[in-house]
Amino acid sequence: MSRIFYLVQKEFRQIRRERAFIFIIFVMPFIQIVLFGFAVNTDVRYVPIAFVDMDRSQTSRRLLTAFCANETYTYSGMAATEEMAKSLLDIGKIQIAVVIPPHFERDLRTGNRPQVQAIIDGVDGNSAGLVLGYVGQIALQLQKEWLPDTGMPDGSPPVGLTEIVPRMWYNDSLESKNNIVPGIIATLVTMITAFLTGMSIVREKEIGTLEQLMVTPVHKNELIIGKTLPFMVVGFLLLNVGILAAGLIFGLWMKGSLLALWGFGLIFMLSTLGLGIFASTLAHTQQQAMFVVWFFALFAMLLSGFFIPIENMPRAIQLVTYLNPLRYFMKVVREIYLKGTPVIYLWKQALFMLVFGVVMILGASARFQKRVG
Amino acid sequence: MNPVLPTIIKKEFIHIWRDPQTLVIILLMPLMMLILYGYAITLEMKQIRTAVVDLDKTPQSREFIEKIISTGFFHVTRVDVPYRQIEDIFFRSQARCVIVIPDNFAEKLAGDSSTPVQLVVDASDPNAANFINNYMARINVGFNLQHGAGNGGIFSVEARLLYNPDLLSAYFFVPGLVAVIILLSSALLTSIAIVREIEFGTMEQILVSPVRPNQIIIGKIVPYLVLSFLDGVLILFFAHLWFHVPVYGSLLLLGFSLFVYILTGLCFGVLISTVARSQQVAMMAVMVITILPSFMLSGFIFPVRSMPHILREISVIVPATHFLRIIRGIMLKGTGIFQLLPELGILTAFSILLIAISIRKFHTKLE
Amino acid sequence: MNRQSTGPDSFAAETTVVVSHLTRKFGSFTAVDNVSFTVARGEIFGFLGANGAGKTTTIRMLCGLLKPSSGSASVAGLDVYHQPEKIKTKIGYMSQQFSLYEDLTVRENIQFYGGIYGLSRLQIRSKTDELLHYLNLWDQVDVLTRDLPLGWKQRMALSSAILHDPPIIFLDEPTSGVDPASRREFWLLIYELAARGKTVFVTTHYMDEAEYCHRVSIMKDGRIVELDKPERLKNKYAAKNMQQVFINIVKGKDK
Ligand SMILES: Nc1ncnc2c1ncn2[C@@H]1O[C@H](COP(=O)(O)OP(=O)(O)O)[C@@H](O)[C@H]1O
Ligand SMILES: [Mg+2]
């Protein structure tokens, strides 16, 4: 067992000598959390809007102001014709054009039901959908307001309108960062631990020291533990630096138990470390190992529900995500952070992660040979 | 003609060719990613798991629920749960939202006042919560227009969606994915090109020959430029054939922009390579600097416009931001070269700047 | 070299490495082709051959790093097929690639290798002292290994490989790229080891070094083409030195 001590000690000495690692472990989490905590936001705001007002009446102007008052839109001018509006859309100057027909006011008064057109740039299907929704809401608002003044038949019954009252639990300000920041922590831990483990073995392979290790009486498992334990410690440090960064920068502290998060974190790292070893057995050069890890990191990140909810994905891809250990860790981190979900509700995730980790480590160590060639 | 450069380029080509394993990875991995993530990345929410608490239980309340279910957005997993159990439902992730219809719903609806319907959302994923809220609001608008305000409202709004009338996610994300993947793979390729030779000691050998540093750097870029360009064309081809993303603009312009963009990525890799001390550090730096920023800051998923001011400034130095505008413009809108000049200009400037810094850094490193 | 050592007198002496019909193929290519030989205890056994002759491959098989394709071999009485891990406790190995951690200091490297060979803390300390004195590296003890001159690095690599006092030592091109003075010093070390009863199995492509070996075997294209004492080979090929012997053999003359 003392051999493991020496292997681990050596690894730490090497890590300490590489200044870039210190930066990556202690500084990067702060930078990433700041950058991406603010970046991720699917709420559409400041959508540039232009109008084609062919009525030029008081009512049409009221419609314009109703749109401009909403912070979803940023007024960016009037267009004389629909064609001009369309060319503004073409070059991306505006994202929506509202066209008010001639005699809008008169038709409204006489109950002729005029038709307003909203021309929307649909390239970004999601924001377009949201923009569309807001258009409807504004229209509904105006309908209510104008109803008394219109020439509706007098006999029509009074109308009761339903109104949706949203209650946002766990994150009532709908701050994206509350969700994304824990996700970044999980992603960083994944990328860095898998990467460091994979690289460190292949590097020794390239340099030739691995061959030297292989002719020593060190047991294969000691070698593997010696290569994983240090990076588990690094990952654990990174996790805590991330937690600190989230708290210090965004004031975002977890609602649930820190101890639980630590436990889940360690279980999760079995998978990423196993993956690192696995990558090192596949690769002959650091470049190849890098590609393997890189591929995995993207896979893990995109299919974890980090910023694309898994429910949105096609069924087949949803099935694939079950093979992604980060999927479970992502869930756990968020639940603990935002909902304070008690651990008993998360046993399934823990189990999956554990199974993954054990299979990965065992599989990787089966492939790992104390031989060359 | 300078005979040194072709020699260096040839040597790099031979390196690539001799390592078929890496070559296959380089060519196929981006393609696999395009296909996998082209499907996976979609923000359209369908079949949102929903629980309903109907405290009214009248024909009117049931009609309202019917209306919600019929849109296909919501998939009702639980009905008539007690209000107290909502937390438990959220903990177990059985539903993302709960619709609560108050006990005087029918009564109020017949009256004059507006009738509140509660939508309780698990907002731990705020983006999803936002979507859910928006869908619900849209459904509500539809319900009201049909029901109240005298059959269809006093005026109507006709929406026309340009360029992507079916609001397909793929139209938006696949070109974006192309942009991100190309940047990542090209930067990775060159990032270790120079450190590797320094680590192995072969650089010393090259340096004692009369080759000049800029020749070495150009010699490293050219082969990968060819390779990455082929790769880029391949995945664009797939984007078109497999995901049916249209190309309304000029193919020539698309090819040219692709070329400029790849050059930027490669130059970035070279810069990293001249600065880093080991392959490990170089690759790590590329991972960290390219992956997340290209995904998060470029407008790939999250609109740059909605970001805070500082991040909008930062997104300008992310090459993917510019290429995203170019590729979406050309493919989906048929935008022409004149409208894209600013973006192309910035990318070209990036490349030149990066190369210039690399050559300088390389000089000082050797002295 | 002034000192003349004759090595074990007869081959009836205790053998520590026994190789017979050993073969290793990589795909259809045969890197080591049916080689047989024995090495006696205390012998300095030279393994000569051009690059690609199969020297490293043979050593790797004997160290348990590479499984032979066929044939048999035993090291210190242990079988390379079935007891590679036991063999590893009996041998020291210095690979042709430099095998110290360049980003560790001299002391840290010694500590590390001592530790994984299972030496106690106390033993490591005394070994470190002993080695540093011996190698005259006291001043450099906290210097990163990458900053040492190559000659010292190589002597240090040898010392680290034998911290656990193994009876058999495999050295794969230990002196390549080193200046003549350092090579001399390195060979003095080898002699000392042999004098202490160690078996030294060394590959080289420096023919002058071949003269220092008790016996040499010359490999060509995976086969052993000659195996004898240097003087006898010189006589046989009527050559002044081993250099000439080697050239004659490689060119296929006098056969
Ligand atoms: N892992 C391997 N795979 C394929 N061929 C190999 C491998 N290792 C060595 N060889 C080949 O076997 C031959 C002998 O190599 P080696 O034993 O290293 O020679 P030497 O040490 O005498 O220079 C060479 O031609 C080499 O290319
Ligand atoms: Mg060799």
Side-chain angles (χ1 to χ4, degrees):
Chain A
M1 284 315 97
S2 73
R3 287 205 192 108
I4 293 178
F5 167 81
Y6 286 102
L7 286 165
V8 171
Q9 184 190 42
K10 177 213 87 187
E11 213 65 48
F12 275 124
R13 283 174 166 162
Q14 288 182 301
I15 292 172
R16 206 186 53 205
R17 294 260 147 77
E18 185 57 87
R19 244 179 301 135
F21 286 155
I22 304 299
F23 175 80
I24 282 164
I25 296 166
F26 293 105
V27 182
M28 216 183 51
F30 279 87
I31 298 177
Q32 303 256 4
I33 283 175
V34 170
L35 277 187
F36 307 128
F38 285 117
V40 175
N41 196 345
T42 46
D43 194 11
V44 291
R45 264 178 293 172
Y46 318 122
V47 176
I49 187 170
F51 300 92
V52 182
D53 185 356
M54 297 193 269
D55 191 36
R56 294 172 186 280
S57 63
Q58 222 164 2
T59 317
S60 70
R61 212 144 322 125
R62 172 74 191 93
L63 191 112
L64 296 187
T65 22
F67 272 94
C68 294
N70 193 310
E71 77 149 354
T72 312
Y73 304 104
T74 306
Y75 174 76
S76 50
M78 304 292 295
T81 62
E82 211 181 301
E83 275 62 51
M84 282 180 62
K86 182 132 186 309
S87 66
L88 286 175
L89 280 160
D90 274 341
I91 59 170
K93 264 268 183 312
I94 57 170
Q95 229 190 343
I96 172 172
V98 173
V99 183
I100 305 168
H103 316 304
F104 176 69
E105 189 176 72
R106 199 185 68 200
D107 288 350
L108 202 65
R109 290 258 158 76
T110 53
N112 263 344
R113 229 182 261 153
Q115 192 182 53
V116 175
Q117 257 194 87
I119 309 173
I120 301 171
D121 176 346
V123 168
D124 178 354
N126 313 291
S127 10
L130 289 176
V131 169
L132 198 61
Y134 293 135
V135 169
Q137 274 166 278
I138 292 172
L140 188 66
Q141 200 58 43
L142 290 173
Q143 307 249 8
K144 275 200 222 171
E145 201 179 299
W146 288 338
L147 194 58
D149 307 335
T150 55
M152 279 290 154
D154 267 347
S156 53
V159 281
L161 297 176
T162 51
E163 188 183 340
I164 302 297
V165 186
R167 291 263 180 286
M168 297 298 174
W169 283 19
Y170 310 120
N171 183 8
D172 49 14
S173 51
L174 282 191
E175 299 267 27
S176 289
K177 57 178 193 257
N178 292 358
N179 186 46
I180 286 302
V181 168
I184 294 172
I185 298 176
T187 310
L188 277 179
V189 169
T190 312
M191 294 213 294
I192 303 295
T193 49
F195 182 85
L196 286 181
T197 318
M199 286 300 121
S200 102
I201 300 177
V202 182
R203 183 168 178 215
E204 290 212 27
K205 217 189 243 183
E206 268 188 12
I207 297 176
T209 45
L210 194 64
E211 183 169 334
Q212 193 66 40
L213 283 182
M214 283 171 172
V215 292
T216 67
V218 157
H219 193 272
K220 185 174 100 174
N221 291 342
E222 291 175 320
L223 214 51
I224 286 174
I225 295 173
K227 274 292 175 194
T228 47
L229 204 60
F231 299 110
M232 202 165 203
V233 174
V234 168
F236 189 72
L237 267 180
L238 194 69
L239 178 68
N240 286 295
V241 172
I243 291 172
L244 266 182
L248 295 179
I249 298 169
F250 289 106
L252 182 66
W253 302 99
M254 72 194 76
K255 287 207 186 117
S257 137
L258 175 65
L259 220 57
L261 191 59
W262 279 354
F264 285 123
L266 291 177
I267 295 177
F268 169 67
M269 274 186 259
L270 292 180
S271 317
T272 57
L273 298 171
L275 177 99
I277 300 172
F278 185 72
S280 75
T281 61
L282 283 181
H284 296 290
T285 62
Q286 292 186 61
Q287 196 180 18
Q288 289 174 355
M290 170 70 196
F291 267 108
V292 174
V293 172
W294 178 64
F295 186 73
F296 169 79
L298 272 185
F299 170 85
M301 184 174 82
L302 289 175
L303 299 186
S304 65
F306 180 18
F307 41 77
I308 303 137
I310 291 170
E311 296 128 284
N312 297 5
M313 300 174 188
R315 189 84 202 120
I317 308 258
Q318 285 194 20
L319 290 179
V320 175
T321 65
Y322 285 108
L323 296 177
N324 178 6
L326 183 57
R327 175 206 160 117
Y328 309 104
F329 189 52
M330 188 64 72
K331 170 100 182 162
V332 164
V333 172
R334 281 180 172 162
E335 295 280 320
I336 292 181
Y337 248 97
L338 297 166
K339 296 192 201 170
T341 309
V343 179
I344 24 166
Y345 289 103
L346 300 172
W347 66 270
K348 245 192 258 170
Q349 274 77 19
L351 187 70
F352 269 109
M353 286 196 288
L354 190 65
V355 170
F356 253 104
V358 170
V359 169
M360 284 276 217
I361 292 266
L362 289 184
S365 38
R367 262 195 70 98
F368 187 87
Q369 292 291 327
K370 248 188 96 183
R371 288 186 187 274
V372 296
Chain B
M1 208 19 228
N2 191 339
V4 179
L5 202 52
T7 316
I8 300 179
I9 294 174
K10 198 170 143 201
K11 165 189 152 278
E12 290 300 320
F13 267 120
I14 291 173
H15 271 313
I16 298 171
W17 195 243
R18 286 283 154 74
D19 189 0
Q21 215 174 339
T22 309
L23 190 64
V24 168
I25 295 178
I26 291 171
L27 287 176
L28 290 187
M29 213 138 87
L31 198 59
M32 280 169 59
M33 294 202 303
L34 181 78
I35 292 174
L36 183 60
Y37 304 136
Y39 282 116
I41 300 181
T42 161
L43 293 177
E44 267 165 76
M45 300 194 70
K46 279 168 285 188
Q47 299 284 303
I48 297 155
R49 277 166 298 143
T50 308
V52 176
V53 184
D54 184 356
L55 299 174
D56 197 37
K57 297 206 170 88
T58 54
Q60 284 90 331
S61 71
R62 242 159 282 157
E63 192 199 332
F64 187 76
I65 296 169
E66 269 312 307
K67 173 79 188 166
I68 291 167
I69 296 175
S70 70
T71 58
F73 282 142
F74 295 95
H75 169 60
V76 176
T77 49
R78 304 275 309 263
V79 271
D80 290 337
V81 283
Y83 193 84
R84 301 172 166 280
Q85 260 187 30
I86 294 179
E87 174 129 56
D88 191 60
I89 287 178
F90 285 162
F91 277 159
R92 291 175 193 277
S93 302
Q94 285 172 340
R96 272 202 187 253
C97 63
V98 182
I99 297 167
V100 186
I101 299 179
D103 55 5
N104 51 2
F105 180 78
E107 202 179 305
K108 272 200 158 176
L109 203 60
D112 199 70
S113 53
S114 65
T115 313
V117 171
Q118 229 184 68
L119 175 71
V120 185
V121 186
D122 173 355
S124 59
D125 181 346
N127 293 312
N130 212 348
F131 277 111
I132 292 170
N133 189 22
N134 199 276
Y135 282 143
M136 193 63 194
R138 264 150 84 180
I139 292 170
N140 187 47
V141 169
F143 181 80
N144 283 314
L145 287 181
Q146 224 176 55
H147 243 254
N151 288 333
I154 50 173
F155 68 93
S156 64
V157 178
E158 187 217 32
R160 265 170 56 204
L161 295 159
L162 299 182
Y163 318 121
N164 182 7
D166 301 323
L167 295 185
L168 294 178
S169 265
Y171 278 24
F172 184 62
F173 288 125
V174 169
L177 207 48
V178 171
V180 173
I181 292 174
I182 288 176
L183 184 77
L184 296 189
S185 54
S186 55
L188 269 182
L189 282 177
T190 41
S191 69
I192 53 173
I194 289 171
V195 226
R196 178 151 84 172
E197 297 218 18
I198 292 176
E199 257 188 25
F200 284 153
T202 43
M203 189 55 85
E204 230 165 288
Q205 206 57 49
I206 297 175
L207 289 175
V208 294
S209 68
V211 183
R212 271 173 284 134
N214 50 358
Q215 289 173 327
I216 294 177
I217 287 182
I218 294 168
K220 291 275 176 195
I221 290 177
V222 171
Y224 289 114
L225 189 58
V226 174
L227 201 65
S228 298
F229 188 74
L230 287 178
D231 214 14
V233 170
L234 184 73
I235 61 176
L236 273 176
F237 198 64
F238 256 79
H240 181 57
L241 283 188
W242 192 293
F243 289 105
H244 309 293
V245 181
V247 185
Y248 289 124
S250 142
L251 274 181
L252 203 66
L253 181 58
L254 188 59
F256 174 70
S257 316
L258 180 70
F259 186 85
V260 173
Y261 180 58
I262 288 174
L263 190 63
T264 314
L266 294 173
C267 293
F268 174 70
V270 166
L271 178 62
I272 295 276
S273 201
T274 53
V275 178
R277 272 196 305 169
S278 66
Q279 291 186 64
Q280 212 175 357
V281 171
M283 291 185 279
M284 187 99 99
V286 171
M287 281 246 286
V288 168
I289 299 176
T290 58
I291 293 189
L292 284 174
S294 302
F295 272 106
M296 314 278 249
L297 298 181
S298 65
F300 171 37
I301 297 179
F302 312 107
V304 174
R305 206 184 301 111
S306 306
M307 294 174 192
H309 185 72
I310 302 176
L311 287 191
R312 265 178 286 159
E313 303 279 309
I314 293 177
S315 77
V316 175
I317 58 167
V318 176
T321 310
H322 306 285
F323 189 63
L324 264 167
R325 292 209 192 110
I326 295 175
I327 192 175
R328 281 177 180 154
I330 296 177
M331 290 183 86
L332 303 174
K333 296 184 179 179
T335 313
I337 184 159
F338 294 109
Q339 284 128 9
L340 295 175
L341 278 180
E343 279 82 12
L344 283 171
I346 292 179
L347 288 181
T348 313
F350 274 153
S351 306
I352 294 171
L353 194 69
L354 289 170
I355 289 225
I357 300 176
S358 304
I359 291 176
R360 267 195 75 132
K361 280 270 172 199
F362 195 49
H363 266 297
T364 50
K365 191 167 190 165
L366 300 176
E367 276 150 18
Chain C
M1 194 143 310
N2 311 330
R3 197 151 57 180
Q4 194 59 44
S5 154
T6 49
D9 288 332
S10 86
F11 296 119
E14 192 186 341
T15 55
T16 52
V17 178
V18 181
V19 174
S20 89
H21 306 295
L22 198 64
T23 300
R24 170 71 207 210
K25 294 182 173 166
F26 293 109
S28 60
F29 173 73
T30 309
V32 174
D33 191 1
N34 198 18
V35 303
S36 306
F37 58 88
T38 59
V39 183
R41 219 174 88 95
E43 189 176 18
I44 300 176
F45 187 82
F47 224 53
L48 276 60
N51 284 330
K55 306 181 295 287
T56 301
T57 308
T58 309
I59 285 204
R60 282 181 167 170
M61 286 191 280
L62 296 179
C63 293
L65 280 173
L66 203 59
K67 237 195 173 104
S69 303
S70 63
S72 66
S74 73
V75 174
L78 299 160
D79 179 42
V80 295
Y81 286 96
H82 302 108
Q83 298 164 296
E85 292 307 310
K86 280 223 176 86
I87 289 179
K88 288 172 187 176
T89 62
K90 302 277 190 213
I91 60 167
Y93 169 61
M94 192 178 152
S95 73
Q96 65 186 9
Q97 261 175 308
F98 180 66
S99 56
L100 294 173
Y101 293 92
E102 302 223 321
D103 48 354
L104 294 187
T105 64
V106 171
R107 187 204 301 275
E108 286 167 350
N109 263 303
I110 297 176
Q111 234 175 36
F112 172 68
Y113 278 113
I116 60 171
Y117 272 113
L119 304 191
S120 73
R121 211 166 275 264
L122 219 66
Q123 281 172 308
I124 291 175
R125 190 159 319 146
S126 67
K127 273 280 177 193
T128 311
D129 287 353
E130 184 187 321
L131 269 180
L132 291 174
H133 271 301
Y134 184 68
L135 296 173
N136 234 332
L137 274 176
W138 256 127
D139 302 333
Q140 264 90 353
V141 62
D142 291 317
V143 168
L144 289 188
T145 311
R146 78 161 72 95
D147 299 331
L148 289 180
L150 188 61
W152 281 4
K153 280 188 200 173
Q154 240 129 355
R155 270 179 294 152
M156 224 193 95
L158 172 61
S159 314
S160 321
I162 57 172
L163 282 171
H164 56 304
D165 224 10
I168 306 169
I169 300 160
F170 291 96
L171 307 173
D172 196 358
E173 297 192 12
T175 54
S176 62
V178 185
D179 64 274
S182 300
R183 272 168 56 198
R184 241 181 89 89
E185 285 188 56
F186 196 92
W187 273 90
L188 280 174
L189 256 167
I190 293 179
Y191 265 88
E192 238 176 77
L193 291 170
R196 275 165 31 201
K198 311 271 182 209
T199 309
V200 180
F201 189 114
V202 56
T203 77
T204 180
H205 53 243
Y206 292 113
M207 288 309 135
D208 57 331
E209 290 185 350
E211 317 258 359
Y212 310 151
C213 301
H214 299 142
R215 276 193 309 151
V216 297
S217 90
I218 298 180
M219 266 191 114
K220 194 186 161 193
D221 299 333
R223 290 166 207 255
I224 292 182
V225 290
E226 279 296 351
L227 198 170
D228 214 331
K229 296 189 176 185
E231 311 88 74
R232 306 233 318 229
L233 287 176
K234 279 186 276 190
N235 284 340
K236 178 171 170 189
Y237 288 89
K240 284 200 305 286
N241 51 32
M242 285 304 290
Q243 183 91 29
Q244 230 161 10
V245 172
F246 188 71
I247 291 170
N248 287 346
I249 290 175
V250 170
K251 289 199 177 147
K253 281 186 200 158
D254 293 69
K255 265 256 133 168

